[in-house]
Amino acid sequence: MDPFTDTLQRLREAFGSGRTQPAEFRAAQLEGLGRFLRENKQLLQEGLAQDLHKSAFEGDISEIIVCQNEVDLALKNLHAWMKDESVAKNLFTQLGSAFIRKEPFGLVLIVAPWNYPVNLTLAPLVGALAAGNCVVLKPSEISKGTEKVLAEVLPQYLDQSCFAVVLGGPEETGQLLKHKFDYILFTGSPRVGKIIMAAAAKHLTPVTLELGGKNPCYVDDDCDPQTVANRVVLFRYFNTGQTCVAPDYILCSPEMQARLLPALQSAITRFYGDDPQSSPDLGRIINHKHFQRLRGLLSCGRVAIGGQSDESERYIAPTVLVDVQETEPVMQEEIFGPILPIMNVRGLDEAIDFINRREKPLALYAFSNSNQVVNRMLDRTSSGSFGGNEGFIYMSLSSLPLGGVGNSGMGRYHGKFSFDTFSHHRACLLSYSGLEKLNAIRYPPYSEWKQQLISWALGKQSCTLL
Amino acid sequence: MAPKLRQRLRKVDPAGEAKRPIPRTEASFPPATLRTGVRERGLHVLLGAELHFLGTKSHPQSRRDTLAVILSQQSELNAYSQEVISVLGEIDLVLEKLPEWAAATPARKNLLTMLDEAYIQPEPLGVVLIIGAWNYPFILTIQPLIGAIAAGNAVIVKPSEISENTATTLAKLLPQYLDQDLYAVINGGVEETTELLKHRFDHILYTGNATVGKIVMEAAAKHLTPVTLELGGKSPCYVDRDCDLDVACRRIAWGKYMNCGQTCIAPDYVLCEPALQDQIVQKMKDAVKEFYGENIKESPDYERIINLRHFKRILSLLEGQKVAFGGETDEATRYIAPTILTDVDPGSKVMQEEIFGPVLPIVPVKSAEEAVRFINEREKPLALYIFSQNNKLTKWLIDHTSSGGVTGNDVIMHFMLSSLPFGGVGSSGMGAYHGKYSFDTFSHQRPCLLKSLKREGANKLRYPPNSPSKVDWAKFFLLRRFSRGKLGLLLLTLLGVVVAVLIKDYWRPHGLENALGDGS
């Protein structure tokens, strides 16, 4: 018995009726979403605290405010985004209009993760709604506190004929994926990303996959260790390291490492106090399984800072590991926790080789006073995104898309990129019946002179062409 | 990865080409591909290859001979105009625009990142696989190749084995003109393509049918390889009673019977009021006579069906149908006359699959509404054609349907405009290319934010420990809306920002040259 068939059927029919097409409808949905965020802020913060021990501050700036911004941006720009986009015409199409029509795909599925359960569920939702789709939301079953709010409260703010929240674990998601969707956005691990894409292939469903990887953080000798340490610590231990774009490991010379370690310790102490476990600004690991996994990683290399853990709270101290081998588990999988290994390299070129031997990461960071170093790192590597002398603050910019490349994902969203991702860009050329004589040269029979004329008309002499 | 890929390619490489040095197509970043100079050189030689290929400097007859060899089932002149000229034009466009397309695009910043550099930098993906089709074997292989080269990738081209001559010629000629370390042609059938798909690529562009499209995407999923699938479907052609029927029928005949109907965006079938059928048949008959003469078989401009399998397939679609015009066939030459069927039953075989042949069914419908319902009950097509003088109706039809692309009052033409993306939706495909869209398809658009290590003092606000006042500051910087009560805070902050900027006046906060400069 498939629990999803009826829901999906209902949404498909609603889409087919054209209900989601008008701008007014879409704006109403977005306004509803905005009200949901404003009226249930406390509920959401409680859910986040329950799931990840997330402080109200972190919940605000990295989840709720981000979503509010997306809603506001979409509302402000909806009409502009929906407009047909005129394009340049060529010699043959001067009389008429050529434009790109943005259309909804139809039924969109958003499968969200547990680490930013509000942000990574609702930010894509904004784009899908703005683009006029009907949406099925599958929040993560692992972040139960937030899942409950999304499942029980959110639908009340949206038109339920065009929107549904479905719940379940891997088995239910597998069942869900057997159905046909017109677009799927998935945020999660590369392993599951492959499963999603394979399922999508059966229906020729386009996908955006926001995956992950090990995000390298290169620290050049030419920099101020304390400044670097401040920034690295902030972005590494934010959300207890459970961030897809967090710096995963450091690459630096042994000399730099010696200067960096005390700076890292200083930053950690300043941010989280002498007893980080009692800091309200440090979160907890999402569940027991991940806690065990991370605790296992603590035995890699040597603990230089931190290393404490408390199973009863799923607490792991902000930790820095040194003397780590490339083959150890901490360098084989995305850490997704408050552990920062330092790998030694002798200079930029070795760091670049190290990075290029591995999968393309979702984010790449390089710290140096020298623009040349930063640019060389940029030129010689690839990654979803890049931060020079900075962590993932670029996430606050809706003018920069979030997306991976290679193993870290495909496609992108945020701001207008969300709207474009969830829209089919339909090429439209409206010609006129008149002046048919001008078309004479394209019809057979093709004599020698006609062919020469075609060559001329379509060739280099023409102003714009194919 | 690169040496292993080379070895595996050696195994995949079918007989005959093993003697050629296998290209060192590197998956990681050879600096050569990044620099636009190399790409331009690649495109220039491709252009040169085209010109030599066609022997434009030589006698027109030898040019025709070359084409005749390559595209034996196609009329030479059609081939030249339809395929090669388009490609030449595309190369010109790309050469002109490449510096602009390859440059970084600055991104709008917020208060928090005011003094940083934020931009999006296009980058190559790595090794791209292009699988061509047999119906337009040249353009459907080379046009994607142009985009892939322009975007800075290494490329493997797998032409369709069904259009044998083109495949062989491409394999022979391209390596003579392009850098063999970066660009390779691999030929083979289903078995070799399956082997090829087991390898990891950084993007795959496939042109063909939905069945194989699914196989390609499934194979790509194993490596998380993004795909562009240019598939097909039944492209409907709605003919309104309020239209210039002469012009409409001529254009439909042109688009339908070119390449003997073997065009992915050919008008597949016509929807019109029953009363129009006879007129349409008559006018199309006239157009066909105009194009191909009394004895169509003798016309040098009328092509043939690619192979016996397709010939028989199309023939079977005619069973039980009312042939209003045409219907003659000749198996020996794989000739099928331009054919029109009337009063076609939507449930019949000819309406179940993409025809891909010179057979045009007319399905009578009572109204535009019925036409829309008919279209929407089916898979989203690659193209939709609407013939009507009534602009409102045309817009209404576009509003209530979906398709890869649309041409109004003509057919095929949206393909010809490089400022329009060419691609499908639903089962007609995903992704798009042509012109800049090719470049974008084969690029990774990498967002970059570059900050300075200076002015760390200004950052203190964002570090823990956090406090209620910090929340207010954070909201101020991040939240798009301000509440009016915070106006005082706003003014204070602006003052603070101005002071900070004034103090640090040795940092010039504009222009990418700071981020990208320093003599590198």
Side-chain angles (χ1 to χ4, degrees):
Chain A
M1 175 54 201
D2 189 328
F4 306 117
T5 313
D6 289 340
T7 307
L8 298 180
Q9 179 68 16
R10 173 167 55 88
L11 260 50
R12 276 222 176 274
E13 276 165 13
F15 182 78
S17 75
R19 193 169 315 153
T20 59
Q21 295 281 16
E24 296 73 31
F25 177 86
R26 304 183 200 187
Q29 298 308 294
L30 292 170
E31 277 157 9
L33 187 55
R35 272 197 324 274
F36 165 76
L37 288 166
R38 282 193 304 277
E39 290 172 15
N40 298 282
K41 196 165 115 154
Q42 182 154 357
L43 215 57
L44 287 167
Q45 281 175 338
E46 282 164 12
L48 290 167
Q50 178 192 329
D51 292 330
L52 292 149
H53 197 262
K54 204 175 284 216
S55 66
F57 178 81
E58 273 196 21
D60 247 349
I61 66 165
S62 68
E63 302 244 35
I64 297 170
I65 291 183
V66 169
C67 294
Q68 273 173 330
N69 276 356
E70 288 283 315
V71 169
D72 291 343
L73 189 73
L75 278 169
K76 182 169 159 205
N77 293 290
L78 187 60
H79 285 270
W81 291 351
M82 280 176 71
K83 262 177 76 178
D84 290 338
E85 193 186 314
S86 284
V87 299
K89 293 177 282 193
N90 68 10
L91 200 62
F92 274 129
T93 52
Q94 279 307 319
L95 307 166
S97 58
F99 57 93
I100 301 172
R101 161 69 57 94
K102 314 289 168 73
E103 295 184 339
F105 279 107
L107 189 55
V108 166
L109 171 65
I110 296 171
V111 180
W114 50 259
N115 58 331
Y116 290 86
V118 175
N119 179 346
L120 299 177
T121 317
L122 299 183
L125 178 62
V126 170
L129 290 174
N133 298 284
C134 283
V135 188
V136 174
L137 214 58
K138 217 306 285 173
S140 172
E141 72 284 8
I142 295 178
S143 42
K144 290 211 164 338
T146 333
E147 190 199 33
K148 192 158 187 283
V149 181
L150 293 172
E152 291 173 12
V153 183
L154 177 58
Q156 297 168 28
Y157 289 80
L158 300 174
D159 185 328
Q160 295 193 46
S161 67
C162 304
F163 171 80
V165 178
V166 300
L167 305 179
E171 201 184 298
E172 288 81 5
T173 310
Q175 250 185 322
L176 188 62
L177 286 169
K178 292 205 169 91
H179 291 271
K180 177 177 178 175
F181 292 92
D182 301 304
Y183 203 95
I184 300 176
L185 188 145
F186 167 76
T187 309
S189 72
R191 185 188 66 84
V192 180
K194 290 179 184 178
I195 297 172
I196 303 268
M197 190 172 171
K202 293 195 164 51
H203 297 290
L204 288 170
T205 300
V207 298
T208 289
L209 305 175
E210 301 274 328
L211 310 176
K214 293 184 74 61
N215 305 321
C217 180
Y218 173 69
V219 181
D220 194 39
D221 284 349
D222 174 17
C223 70
D224 168 44
Q226 192 57 68
T227 307
V228 172
N230 290 346
R231 299 178 187 188
V232 171
V233 165
L234 173 67
F235 291 104
R236 165 78 277 193
Y237 302 112
F238 193 91
N239 200 28
T240 331
Q242 297 163 117
T243 308
C244 47
V245 285
D248 187 277
Y249 63 96
I250 287 183
L251 288 167
C252 68
S253 66
E255 296 75 33
M256 190 61 217
Q257 178 179 309
R259 296 161 67 201
L260 206 51
L261 281 172
L264 289 167
Q265 177 68 78
S266 156
I268 289 170
T269 308
R270 260 181 297 120
F271 295 178
Y272 309 111
D274 290 311
D275 176 28
Q277 193 169 359
S278 58
S279 162
D281 299 316
L282 195 62
R284 296 292 181 265
I285 306 306
I286 182 73
N287 64 13
H288 202 64
K289 178 178 125 184
H290 281 283
F291 173 82
Q292 297 286 47
R293 179 183 65 80
L294 287 164
R295 197 158 68 171
L297 297 181
L298 291 170
S299 55
C300 298
R302 176 173 61 84
V303 173
I305 299 173
Q308 301 86 0
S309 62
D310 180 347
E311 192 164 338
S312 65
E313 281 188 29
R314 297 193 308 278
Y315 163 79
I316 294 185
T319 300
V320 177
L321 302 175
V322 297
D323 302 334
V324 173
Q325 299 302 316
E326 217 179 315
T327 47
E328 295 187 78
V330 78
M331 286 307 293
Q332 293 300 312
E333 57 181 76
E334 186 174 357
I335 294 167
F336 230 63
I339 299 171
L340 182 66
I342 302 182
M343 301 287 300
N344 290 134
V345 288
R346 304 217 158 272
L348 180 61
D349 287 334
E350 202 181 304
I352 289 172
D353 286 340
F354 187 96
I355 291 167
N356 285 342
R357 280 205 305 274
R358 310 164 88 81
E359 296 294 352
K360 293 177 189 173
L362 187 53
L364 206 159
Y365 302 104
F367 286 84
S368 176
N369 280 324
S370 159
N371 283 339
Q372 212 164 7
V373 166
V374 171
N375 288 324
R376 194 163 157 74
M377 178 62 86
L378 252 176
D379 273 350
R380 297 278 305 150
T381 58
S382 185
S383 62
S385 52
F386 182 88
N389 294 323
E390 182 59 298
F392 51 82
I393 199 69
Y394 58 77
M395 298 277 282
S396 69
L397 276 179
S398 60
S399 56
L400 289 180
L402 173 68
V405 66
N407 220 49
S408 55
M410 57 181 78
R412 59 197 187 160
Y413 73 111
H414 273 186
K416 181 171 194 282
F417 302 103
S418 295
F419 182 87
D420 287 339
T421 286
F422 289 111
S423 300
H424 165 53
H425 296 233
R426 189 180 189 189
C428 299
L429 179 67
L430 302 185
S431 202
Y432 291 128
S433 299
L435 296 174
E436 179 64 349
K437 284 288 174 232
L438 287 182
N439 272 328
I441 65 169
R442 76 183 202 200
Y443 300 125
Y446 297 119
S447 54
E448 183 73 35
W449 74 264
K450 237 192 205 183
Q451 203 243 303
Q452 281 173 8
L453 197 57
I454 290 173
S455 294
W456 172 83
L458 296 185
K460 286 168 129 166
Q461 293 87 336
S462 143
C463 28
T464 50
L465 177 84
L466 306 156
Chain B
M1 168 122 181
K4 283 191 199 148
L5 182 61
R6 189 193 333 149
Q7 276 164 21
R8 281 180 273 166
L9 284 172
R10 214 184 285 271
K11 282 192 213 150
V12 168
D13 204 0
E17 290 168 35
K19 298 190 186 78
R20 244 186 345 97
I22 303 292
R24 270 191 300 112
T25 44
E26 294 181 49
S28 64
F29 269 70
T33 54
L34 294 175
R35 289 195 288 275
T36 53
V38 174
R39 303 180 212 178
E40 279 166 349
R41 199 170 67 232
L43 290 169
H44 274 295
V45 297
L46 194 59
L47 180 61
E50 304 292 342
L51 294 172
H52 181 92
F53 199 56
L54 310 166
T56 43
K57 290 175 187 152
S58 64
H59 194 272
Q61 184 57 41
S62 69
R63 184 189 343 151
R64 288 199 205 180
D65 290 348
T66 314
L67 283 169
V69 162
I70 294 158
L71 304 152
S72 58
Q73 86 280 11
Q74 274 199 345
S75 143
E76 300 135 9
L77 292 163
N78 282 350
Y80 189 77
S81 63
Q82 288 159 12
E83 299 214 48
V84 173
I85 296 184
S86 306
V87 162
L88 288 173
E90 181 93 341
I91 294 178
D92 275 349
L93 175 72
V94 172
L95 281 171
E96 185 197 325
K97 296 282 187 185
L98 188 54
E100 186 190 312
W101 293 350
T105 320
R108 269 183 71 182
K109 297 178 283 192
N110 57 17
L111 270 177
L112 208 58
T113 49
M114 222 176 66
L115 301 174
D116 307 330
E117 303 302 333
Y119 58 92
I120 299 177
Q121 175 67 58
E123 296 184 339
L125 290 167
V127 181
V128 167
L129 172 64
I130 293 168
I131 302 178
W134 55 258
N135 57 332
Y136 290 87
F138 192 74
I139 192 176
L140 294 177
T141 321
I142 301 297
Q143 196 163 7
L145 174 63
I146 293 168
I149 293 177
N153 300 285
V155 190
I156 294 190
V157 169
K158 216 303 287 176
S160 170
E161 69 282 10
I162 295 178
S163 43
E164 282 177 53
N165 295 304
T166 317
T168 313
T169 310
L170 285 174
K172 193 173 79 169
L173 288 183
L174 275 183
Q176 294 174 22
Y177 294 89
L178 297 176
D179 187 330
Q180 292 189 45
D181 285 341
L182 293 171
Y183 313 111
V185 179
I186 292 188
N187 275 320
V190 171
E191 208 181 289
E192 286 84 3
T193 310
T194 310
E195 272 308 302
L196 193 58
L197 284 171
K198 289 190 180 139
H199 292 283
R200 182 177 183 182
F201 294 93
D202 298 295
H203 195 100
I204 300 175
L205 187 145
Y206 165 77
T207 306
N209 65 61
T211 311
V212 178
K214 290 178 185 177
I215 296 172
V216 172
M217 190 172 171
E218 261 182 67
K222 292 193 168 65
H223 297 291
L224 289 170
T225 299
V227 298
T228 297
L229 304 176
E230 300 275 328
L231 309 176
K234 294 181 76 61
S235 298
C237 182
Y238 175 74
V239 181
D240 190 35
R241 83 164 89 96
D242 174 16
C243 81
D244 185 334
L245 215 51
D246 284 328
V247 172
C249 291
R250 187 179 302 116
R251 294 179 181 181
I252 295 171
W254 169 73
K256 177 77 203 187
Y257 301 120
M258 74 160 66
N259 205 26
C260 212
Q262 297 161 119
T263 307
C264 48
I265 43 171
D268 187 278
Y269 64 97
V270 163
L271 291 167
C272 67
E273 284 179 19
L276 286 177
Q277 278 191 110
D278 289 340
Q279 289 181 71
I280 291 176
V281 170
Q282 186 53 51
K283 290 179 192 291
M284 284 198 62
K285 216 165 139 176
D286 293 339
V288 165
K289 195 154 133 196
E290 202 186 297
F291 296 165
Y292 307 115
E294 288 288 354
N295 192 345
I296 301 169
K297 244 188 176 184
E298 304 285 313
S299 165
D301 299 320
Y302 191 70
E303 285 96 349
R304 298 292 182 268
I305 302 302
I306 182 76
N307 62 21
L308 208 57
R309 179 170 76 85
H310 280 284
F311 175 85
K312 291 192 166 148
R313 178 185 64 80
I314 298 166
L315 216 55
S316 74
L317 299 178
L318 297 174
E319 283 161 28
Q321 296 294 345
K322 213 197 279 182
V323 177
F325 166 69
E328 300 92 10
T329 66
D330 175 19
E331 191 168 314
T333 53
R334 300 189 309 276
Y335 166 82
I336 298 181
T339 302
I340 303 178
L341 312 171
T342 49
D343 292 314
V344 175
D345 172 13
S348 58
K349 201 167 169 210
V350 76
M351 287 307 292
Q352 299 310 312
E353 58 181 78
E354 187 175 355
I355 296 166
F356 230 63
V359 172
L360 181 71
I362 303 182
V363 177
V365 288
K366 292 192 201 64
S367 62
E369 286 81 8
E370 195 184 319
V372 160
R373 273 197 303 277
F374 189 93
I375 293 168
N376 289 341
E377 275 164 12
R378 291 164 165 70
E379 295 294 343
K380 294 176 189 174
L382 187 53
L384 172 65
Y385 300 113
I386 303 164
F387 283 88
S388 177
Q389 311 278 45
N390 182 346
N391 280 337
K392 261 182 90 179
L393 178 68
T394 302
K395 288 270 160 88
W396 184 85
L397 282 162
I398 296 177
D399 285 349
H400 288 83
T401 55
S402 186
S403 62
V406 177
T407 297
N409 289 323
D410 208 333
V411 297
I412 315 284
M413 294 307 283
H414 65 279
F415 177 94
M416 311 289 247
L417 199 53
S418 63
S419 54
L420 285 175
F422 181 69
V425 65
S427 61
S428 56
M430 59 180 76
Y433 73 114
H434 279 191
K436 182 167 196 286
Y437 303 101
S438 296
F439 182 89
D440 290 343
T441 287
F442 293 116
S443 300
H444 170 53
Q445 307 276 347
R446 188 186 194 186
C448 302
L449 188 99
L450 304 184
K451 204 180 171 76
S452 161
L453 283 173
K454 304 174 178 59
R455 288 189 318 280
E456 179 62 354
N459 275 329
K460 282 208 160 35
L461 204 56
R462 65 187 196 170
Y463 299 129
N466 300 313
S467 57
S469 70
K470 275 196 182 174
V471 178
D472 289 337
W473 282 104
K475 278 190 191 164
F476 173 77
F477 279 106
L478 296 174
L479 197 58
R480 294 191 68 79
R481 291 191 201 177
F482 309 100
S483 55
R484 282 185 204 128
K486 306 282 182 204
L487 201 56
L489 200 62
L490 166 66
L491 288 171
L492 196 62
T493 311
L494 279 175
L495 192 64
V497 166
V498 165
V499 168
V501 169
L502 285 174
I503 291 173
K504 305 290 174 180
D505 61 350
Y506 57 82
W507 168 253
R508 286 181 302 124
H510 60 82
L512 287 175
E513 67 264 19
N514 270 343
L516 301 176
D518 248 31
S520 63

